[in-house]
Amino acid sequence: MVKDVSTDSAEILSPMRRVSARWIIAAIGLTIVVWLTGLAGLLAIANRVHDDIPEALAVKLPLLQLQPELIFAGDSRMAFQVDPVLSAQLVGKPPGFAVNIAYLAGDPLSFVAAARRYVGRFKNAHVVVSVTTLISNDGVPGASVFPQDVVARMNVAQQITTFLPMRVGTLIRYIHEAFNSRLAADRNISEIGPHPAEYGLERLPAQPGYRWPPDISSHQHFKNWNIAGLKARNEIGALCGLAGVSKKLTVVLGPWAPRYNRDNEPSWKAKDEENTALLAKSAETCGFELVKIPSVPGLTQEHFADEQHINESGIPIYTSYLMTQLKN
């Protein structure tokens, strides 16, 4: 009788494979637990060291030493599009009358923090803040656009359940930015840093090779639409706070590229109007002015670097028009 060696080997290896599989699963599980514990620890430290004034804003705050009477703030739509020198000229004022402290993905929470820290520099100024639906829509959790000051208002459990597993990058960026904000505060950059060039204006060149999205309805600003969440409560609440510590507050909703038409996109139009209504209600309650700019005379498709940002050739046109919309 010939013994089937292969059968015996399979019988021996089968339990070994099961044991090996259990060890692999256990090792993976242990790794995940250790990784989550480490992440939770870093988030807890980040929450403690976080400063509401991020480094990107801190480097612009030395401009406040000029005692400006007009402060442009907000996100990239203000940082790239409004020339404070030209705005001063248009009202017959010298350079330094207006400054631009807006920064990429800037959010109201950071500006109200700056205003409360430097009350004397805001109370006599007209503050003009640009906002987008990114500050209202909780459905946009991306690392590059989710307001870090909102993340700081979550506890560690909320941070982990909100952003894991698909948006871990948002938490990694938050940890990085939290430590940077603390370093900026400890180094007193807001006070002793150099004055940014052009009184804070940043220029966005034309992008000839830019791939334009086919529509705005599917744009990330409007994905997973929810303007009744943590973002809206905190950020719109911050606008109300900013109105209370400024001489005057104007909130600006800027234009999109002319190639897109709200009337052709009912979903975009409906969400845009819902967000505007939310801000209008807050403006009435909190006492700030809301200016919506759906289009600008003379500002054509060639003046846009992408669907929402004006390139440097459009800066004079947009700045001039915005100044006509501001009330004293």
Side-chain angles (χ1 to χ4, degrees):
M1 181 177 179
V2 179
K3 187 174 182 181
D4 190 342
V5 178
S6 62
T7 301
D8 290 348
S9 298
E11 291 174 352
I12 294 171
L13 290 174
S14 182
M16 293 177 62
R17 289 195 182 102
R18 287 197 294 270
V19 171
S20 178
R22 286 196 293 269
W23 274 105
I24 291 171
I25 292 171
I28 292 173
L30 180 61
T31 300
I32 292 172
V33 170
V34 171
W35 184 84
L36 285 175
T37 301
L39 178 63
L42 283 172
L43 287 170
I45 296 171
N47 287 345
R48 291 182 63 86
V49 303
H50 169 83
D51 190 285
D52 273 350
I53 298 178
E55 182 183 25
L57 174 57
V59 297
K60 285 195 165 185
L61 291 182
L63 289 168
L64 297 179
Q65 296 168 3
L66 300 172
Q67 299 293 334
E69 295 180 45
L70 183 59
I71 299 174
F72 295 108
D75 54 25
S76 54
R77 283 183 167 180
M78 190 70 79
F80 296 144
Q81 297 176 185
V82 178
D83 183 348
V85 175
L86 176 58
S87 65
Q89 291 174 351
L90 290 170
V91 293
K93 300 292 184 178
F97 168 83
V99 298
N100 189 332
I101 62 171
Y103 65 96
L104 187 64
D107 68 289
L109 281 168
S110 65
F111 294 106
V112 75
R116 287 171 176 162
R117 193 168 300 177
Y118 303 106
V119 175
R121 297 172 187 176
F122 278 79
K123 67 179 181 180
N124 295 319
H126 181 177
V127 181
V128 184
V129 179
S130 65
V131 299
T132 67
T133 48
L134 286 174
I135 71 157
S136 305
N137 183 16
D138 266 31
V140 187
S144 63
V145 294
F146 199 96
Q148 300 300 291
D149 289 348
V150 175
V151 181
R153 280 154 177 77
M154 302 177 181
N155 59 40
V156 172
Q158 289 174 316
Q159 291 167 341
I160 288 175
T161 57
T162 299
F163 298 107
L164 292 185
M166 301 304 293
R167 294 295 183 175
V168 65
T170 304
L171 295 180
I172 293 173
R173 177 176 179 250
Y174 167 66
I175 293 169
H176 179 262
E177 294 294 332
F179 283 97
N180 279 351
S181 70
R182 176 50 51 196
L183 285 172
D186 290 346
R187 291 163 56 195
N188 202 21
I189 289 176
S190 299
E191 288 285 347
I192 65 175
H195 288 190
E198 297 194 75
Y199 294 88
L201 171 65
E202 301 174 43
R203 295 179 180 272
L204 186 64
Q207 304 180 75
Y210 183 71
R211 297 181 62 181
W212 296 84
D215 56 51
I216 300 299
S217 299
S218 58
H219 196 278
Q220 66 167 344
H221 282 215
F222 301 97
K223 285 184 177 179
N224 306 313
W225 190 246
N226 174 19
I227 59 170
L230 192 64
K231 272 189 187 180
R233 289 196 301 272
N234 281 281
E235 297 290 14
I236 294 179
L239 289 175
C240 292
L242 191 55
V245 291
S246 307
K247 178 181 178 181
K248 179 179 175 61
L249 175 65
T250 298
V251 175
V252 178
L253 293 169
W256 294 76
R259 68 189 296 160
Y260 303 104
N261 189 326
R262 286 175 177 79
D263 291 334
N264 296 335
E265 298 187 47
S267 175
W268 168 29
K269 184 177 181 179
K271 292 172 182 176
D272 186 55
E273 290 177 348
E274 184 182 353
N275 185 63
T276 301
L278 178 65
L279 286 166
K281 182 178 179 181
S282 298
E284 183 178 353
T285 302
C286 302
F288 61 83
E289 175 189 16
L290 179 65
V291 174
K292 185 173 183 179
I293 305 177
S295 62
V296 175
L299 201 63
T300 62
Q301 183 62 34
E302 68 180 5
H303 295 119
F304 279 78
D306 56 38
E307 64 273 13
Q308 59 181 321
H309 296 112
I310 294 165
N311 62 44
E312 57 186 340
S313 69
I315 291 173
I317 300 171
Y318 184 75
T319 300
S320 299
Y321 183 78
L322 177 61
M323 291 300 292
T324 68
Q325 302 302 299
L326 300 182
K327 299 175 183 178
N328 294 328

